[in-house]
Amino acid sequence: MGRPLLFKRHVLMASVSTGLLSGLAFASPAGAAQDEETNVQNLPPVEVAAPPPSTTRRTTPSRPVARVAGASSSNRPKTRIYVYPTSPGTGRGLDVDKVPSAINAVDASQIKRTGSLNITDALRDNIAGVNISEVTGNPFQPDVEFRGFVASPVTGTPQGLAVYQNGVRINEAFSDAVNWDLIPTAAIRSVTLVTNNPAFGLNALGGAINLQMKDGFTYQGAELDLMGGSFGRIQGSAQWGKQVEKNYGVYAALEGLHDNGFRNFSQSDVRRFYGDVGYKAGDSEFHVNMGVAKNDFGASATVPAELLDKYWGATYTTPQTTSNRVGYVNLTGKVDATPTWTLEGTAHVRRYEQKLVDGNPTDVGECTGDATLLCFGDGATPANGVNGLQLANPFAPGTILGEIDRSSIRSTTFGVSGQATNTDQLFGHDNRFVMGTTYDASVTRYNATAEIGAMGENYVVSGSGVFLGATGTPDTGLAGPVSLRTVNQYNGLYAMDTFNVTDAFAITGGGRFNVARISLEDQLGTALNGDYTFTRFNPVIGGTYKITPELTAYAGYSEANRVPTPLELGCADPNNPCLIAAFLVSDPPLKQVVSKTVEAGLRGAKELNIGTLGWKIGGFRATNYDDILAIPVPGRTGFGYFSNVGRTRRQGLEAEVNIKSPTFQFQASYAFVDARFLDALTLGSNSPFADGDGNIQVSPGNQIPAIPRHRIKVGVDYAVTDVWKVGGNAIFVSSQYLVGDESNQYAKLPSYTVFNLHTSYQVTRNFQLYGRVDNIFDRRYATYGTFFDTGALPNFANGGADFNDPRSLSPARPRAFYAGMRVTF
């Protein structure tokens, strides 16, 4: 055991009916826990029992029965194929060369290669169009942007991507936010980013990120992974899976992490558990899986550029803490009712809690005529307490005041879904028909308070026990307590059919009908009360054509929608703005967002002497109607409102080439995203180019901020010997306009290029050492930028002078070193 073993290099030769050739992967020691081998598109194989040969073309064959590769329930010959999800169910998807959209997938080995407990890192490294922005300033809560659409943990960010875990939508009920930190990364079997498909329901404007988790049938053995490094990082994960007597499978994963962060007050703690128990009998399969997480984060905001010039780890106003808690249970079942009909069903319950503490500047100060009382910014409007009376001023003369805003979200979600798949031939041609329905109901309680405090020279707000109440004047915005109960009910009915016109040509058509009802119940009054219903049918049509066995063309058109969230509906009045992500004030109606997308491209694969070559190139155009934007109120830090802003367009090109062999893996990609406003707008902004009223004029054709136009990624992994592997990757992201510069008048946030290295050494068949260096050239760059009110607080780092640079940025992590070990059983 003390001597390195020479592992036998082997190749998974998979018969692929779609014409995408065999999958190749680095070998793992036999008998030890290992991730599944995948094909050149990073898709795990599905094993099917081949149907008996039919005597004529029009004889309906017995449908191939899909199961996880390696599991056996029949003596019929087996073959392996690669499929892609076309609906939220957990069952077998569609053969990849029949999918009329781009193929984007990440497998478990790619996730492991990042050495990260963030699934977002693997998405960034391996999917051409994905870009990561640390809007919150914390690496465990990033924004994921794809084709100009965002899935973000930041409450108040318009969400344009749907996210599913084992067929269950996990966009949170109150704001559609996606808390990436709650996803158990070690337990992920595969990730696909499905585009141009309305079957995934609400928020799938730019696509749906579909997470499939491991279970005891797809993962056997045990693994312990420990890693530590820069900025006090200590992390560990353990997973175990076992198949018991062929019919039962058990899987569990446990993850923990502590990181001090490179910024002041930026400690992070992550604790997650995921488990699954499965049962198989014949062609039926049932699972119950559950998960819990308890995570705490600090330093969740941008920082004035002038403070970063002094110290890269600076923070602006604190405290800034986020606490996320989740617990969920999912039941899934799949039954092959007949040789050509498969029935699936899911039921789930999810409890989510979030608590935010956010230090901010405040508009409250001593009154102009009476310094013993507190007023709002004009010095005359009384600042009332929770009892409705004007607040006395308990602070010493000359004290700079701040505000500690606290909010909590408690959501309980229940849902059920059902899906039926039929593969009977139609008019003598192969055909696949899927229909399904979903129902989700959520009850959320939202509460917020604001406490006035003293601002220290380190920008820390010290609480005083003085809490704001309603001001009673609409134009000042409510800064007092909020208590709101919301109920979301989302129904969906979808159907899709893929018809093989010939063996080479397939067409797909269908659609989804969405019904959303949202009720708001103000617990402190009536201002927030409202009841809204939104309906929409979203069609899809597309086709694929296999030009040669190694080349496939695809094209498709689809529509998708997202409805305003309870948060957006509760903060939509420009005459009565609210502190976004904290205080809601009124509920004028908003329209739902509708996106119409067309995409087309080519993809293929070819066997070469050095391995399997895979490539793809495609273009897309998505036009949003009645897009929703968060609009700031100039001169009032954090205050704003949500509004429909007309049409926006996102279009671009994605290209990728990759090579897989037992000893060498290479991947290079380029993505171009052009995102623009199509209608003229007047928006509030803290931009230095704003007019006297604090507004900027947006013209048709102006670029949408925070969306870089160019992304280039290159990655290489090479097995120097049978036990030593080295690799690295580089990511280039082009410049982008700052949020608040929708008129495109200010200088862009600069582009950046980051280089990373990693290596591993297999000491024994069960013991591996590994290490990585992130940002090896210690590049200082920002992933996100906006404007801030330069007059809200003095620049304490410059003797209390005024700020001159209006930019507020999210600094990226400096060079970091990590080392770890992995033990498998």
Side-chain angles (χ1 to χ4, degrees):
M1 295 296 294
R3 182 181 56 178
L5 299 180
L6 297 180
F7 304 140
K8 191 178 291 184
R9 298 178 180 178
H10 64 281
V11 176
L12 169 64
M13 301 302 297
S15 172
V16 183
S17 63
T18 62
L20 295 172
L21 306 181
S22 59
L24 305 168
F26 288 127
S28 296
Q34 55 185 298
D35 295 310
E36 296 173 285
E37 293 172 315
T38 58
N39 74 341
V40 73
Q41 294 172 315
N42 307 314
L43 296 170
V46 172
E47 189 175 82
V48 297
S54 56
T55 57
T56 67
R57 170 68 176 170
R58 295 185 176 272
T59 301
T60 302
S62 298
R63 183 182 58 80
V65 177
R67 56 181 55 84
V68 175
S72 176
S73 64
S74 170
N75 292 323
R76 282 183 291 169
K78 306 293 191 305
T79 188
R80 287 178 172 182
I81 64 172
Y82 297 94
V83 298
Y84 198 70
T86 56
S87 59
T90 59
R92 172 187 165 189
L94 181 67
D95 290 350
V96 286
D97 265 357
K98 307 298 181 184
V99 178
S101 63
I103 302 295
N104 300 291
V106 178
D107 62 28
S109 65
Q110 291 173 309
I111 297 172
K112 183 181 296 184
R113 199 176 304 143
T114 66
S116 171
L117 293 185
N118 295 343
I119 181 56
T120 56
D121 290 343
L123 295 175
R124 175 201 59 202
D125 291 351
N126 296 285
I127 295 181
V130 169
N131 179 51
I132 299 297
S133 298
E134 293 181 5
V135 177
T136 67
N138 189 291
F140 305 101
Q141 294 184 298
D143 278 15
V144 172
E145 178 258 309
F146 174 71
R147 295 185 175 180
F149 296 92
V150 176
S152 170
V154 180
T155 302
T157 300
Q159 309 284 342
L161 297 172
V163 182
Y164 284 80
Q165 179 178 319
N166 270 1
V168 175
R169 183 175 177 269
I170 60 173
N171 295 72
E172 304 297 351
F174 185 65
S175 64
D176 288 335
V178 179
N179 289 289
W180 302 103
D181 63 284
L182 300 179
I183 298 173
T185 303
I188 297 174
R189 181 191 179 200
S190 67
V191 185
T192 49
L193 206 169
V194 182
T195 63
N196 212 31
N197 190 333
F200 285 86
L202 298 175
N203 295 92
L205 307 181
I209 297 174
N210 188 42
L211 306 164
Q212 291 297 322
M213 312 303 288
K214 298 174 184 175
D215 57 47
F217 301 115
T218 60
Y219 183 92
Q220 287 96 40
E223 178 183 275
L224 178 66
D225 193 327
L226 299 174
M227 190 187 81
S230 299
F231 311 114
R233 170 74 65 88
I234 301 174
Q235 72 179 48
S237 67
Q239 57 179 323
W240 171 79
K242 184 176 179 61
Q243 186 169 346
V244 182
E245 297 179 355
K246 295 186 178 180
N247 295 111
Y248 295 92
V250 182
Y251 175 83
L254 182 67
E255 298 172 309
L257 175 146
H258 173 82
D259 190 297
N260 291 328
F262 72 96
R263 298 173 61 188
N264 297 333
F265 315 110
S266 61
Q267 176 176 306
S268 299
D269 291 286
V270 175
R271 291 143 291 198
R272 300 188 293 232
F273 171 80
Y274 177 84
D276 180 280
V277 177
Y279 172 76
K280 279 186 177 183
D283 295 326
S284 300
E285 185 172 348
F286 303 90
H287 289 267
V288 55
N289 54 73
M290 60 85 66
V292 293
K294 181 181 180 183
N295 303 334
D296 300 286
F297 307 104
S300 56
T302 58
V303 185
E306 290 180 60
L307 296 182
L308 291 176
D309 288 340
K310 297 285 187 179
Y311 173 49
W312 195 247
T315 53
Y316 188 36
T317 53
T318 56
Q320 297 166 358
T321 62
T322 302
S323 298
N324 289 336
R325 309 286 186 266
V326 75
Y328 54 87
V329 177
N330 305 327
L331 302 175
T332 65
K334 180 178 72 71
V335 176
D336 292 323
T338 73
T340 57
W341 278 100
T342 298
L343 305 178
E344 299 176 52
T346 68
H348 66 273
V349 62
R350 178 183 178 92
R351 175 68 175 183
Y352 165 69
E353 296 183 0
Q354 182 182 70
K355 293 182 179 180
L356 299 178
V357 179
D358 186 13
N360 287 300
T362 184
D363 276 350
V364 175
E366 62 184 36
C367 296
T368 301
D370 187 351
T372 64
L373 298 175
L374 294 177
C375 290
F376 278 94
D378 59 4
T381 302
N384 295 337
V386 293
N387 60 1
L389 302 177
Q390 186 172 2
L391 289 170
N393 183 4
F395 302 100
T399 300
I400 298 176
L401 301 186
E403 186 173 305
I404 301 177
D405 300 305
R406 298 178 176 88
S407 63
S408 66
I409 300 172
R410 293 173 295 156
S411 295
T412 302
T413 301
F414 167 79
V416 294
S417 67
Q419 179 174 294
T421 303
N422 177 263
T423 55
D424 282 315
Q425 285 191 345
L426 183 64
F427 305 117
H429 294 256
D430 290 341
N431 188 74
R432 181 178 182 268
F433 174 72
V434 178
M435 61 180 178
T437 183
T438 64
Y439 173 78
D440 290 277
S442 303
V443 177
T444 300
R445 291 189 177 274
Y446 176 84
N447 295 278
T449 62
E451 180 184 7
I452 302 301
M455 180 72 68
E457 292 191 1
N458 58 354
Y459 297 102
V460 176
V461 183
S462 301
S464 65
V466 177
F467 287 85
L468 286 174
T471 67
T473 56
D475 59 349
T476 60
L478 179 65
V482 173
S483 183
L484 178 68
R485 181 180 184 269
T486 69
V487 178
N488 305 39
Q489 297 183 69
Y490 297 152
N491 299 78
L493 179 65
Y494 60 89
M496 297 186 68
D497 189 88
T498 300
F499 178 74
N500 289 4
V501 180
T502 68
D503 289 339
F505 178 43
I507 57 174
T508 295
R512 174 168 173 142
F513 183 70
N514 293 319
V515 179
R517 180 178 178 183
I518 302 173
S519 299
L520 280 66
E521 303 171 7
D522 195 332
Q523 304 297 290
L524 300 178
T526 60
L528 294 175
N529 288 348
D531 198 337
Y532 309 86
T533 300
F534 303 90
T535 61
R536 187 72 164 70
F537 175 75
N538 296 314
V540 60
I541 187 169
T544 61
Y545 184 74
K546 187 183 293 294
I547 301 172
T548 72
E550 299 172 343
L551 175 62
T552 299
Y554 67 87
Y557 169 84
S558 72
E559 298 179 9
N561 73 305
R562 85 169 184 90
V563 300
T565 65
L567 171 65
E568 292 167 337
L569 291 169
C571 183
D573 187 351
N575 296 317
N576 200 3
C578 57
L579 187 62
I580 292 178
F583 298 108
L584 310 182
V585 290
S586 59
D587 61 337
L590 291 172
K591 300 177 182 178
Q592 62 182 330
V593 182
V594 175
S595 184
K596 299 180 179 181
T597 301
V598 60
E599 69 172 280
L602 299 167
R603 57 176 174 257
K606 184 177 179 62
E607 288 290 351
L608 304 176
N609 291 334
I610 60 173
T612 301
L613 169 70
W615 63 273
K616 60 184 179 182
I617 185 170
F620 67 91
R621 171 179 281 195
T623 302
N624 283 11
Y625 297 82
D626 297 315
D627 215 348
I628 294 176
L629 194 66
I631 301 174
V633 174
R636 303 201 60 197
T637 302
F639 275 81
Y641 61 95
F642 296 94
S643 178
N644 293 109
V645 295
R647 298 172 301 149
T648 60
R649 184 183 65 205
R650 297 155 178 84
Q651 60 184 357
L653 174 74
E654 297 161 350
E656 181 179 320
V657 60
N658 60 80
I659 297 173
K660 272 191 175 184
S661 78
T663 58
F664 177 70
Q665 294 191 22
F666 171 81
Q667 179 178 342
S669 67
Y670 168 74
F672 169 73
V673 180
D674 178 66
R676 298 181 183 270
F677 294 98
L678 298 184
D679 294 319
L681 300 166
T682 299
L683 301 178
S685 174
N686 285 310
S687 167
F689 292 96
D691 60 24
D693 295 324
N695 295 319
I696 57 174
Q697 304 301 318
V698 181
S699 301
N702 283 151
Q703 295 181 35
I704 300 175
I707 301 177
R709 289 163 64 82
H710 305 281
R711 307 107 189 264
I712 300 174
K713 305 174 185 180
V714 178
V716 178
D717 282 273
Y718 178 66
V720 181
T721 69
D722 288 329
V723 295
W724 180 31
K725 299 171 186 175
V726 297
N729 71 312
I731 299 174
F732 167 80
V733 177
S734 69
S735 58
Q736 55 190 287
Y737 284 105
L738 277 69
V739 173
D741 188 26
E742 286 79 6
S743 57
N744 299 170
Q745 294 174 278
Y746 199 83
K748 290 184 177 182
L749 188 70
S751 63
Y752 61 88
T753 304
V754 182
F755 294 86
N756 311 296
L757 294 175
H758 57 263
T759 186
S760 67
Y761 187 81
Q762 200 74 34
V763 181
T764 71
R765 62 177 296 175
N766 299 99
F767 181 60
Q768 181 187 91
L769 296 175
Y770 65 90
R772 76 178 219 250
V773 183
D774 293 344
N775 193 3
I776 59 176
F777 297 116
D778 201 22
R779 177 75 183 272
R780 301 300 169 95
Y781 64 97
T783 62
Y784 176 87
T786 185
F787 297 118
F788 77 110
D789 182 0
T790 56
L793 293 172
N795 184 350
F796 294 122
N798 190 28
D802 291 338
F803 284 100
N804 295 312
D805 191 332
R807 298 175 303 155
S808 187
L809 310 176
S810 289
R813 182 166 285 218
R815 181 169 51 222
F817 299 88
Y818 303 100
M821 66 176 186
R822 187 175 292 123
V823 182
T824 57
F825 306 95

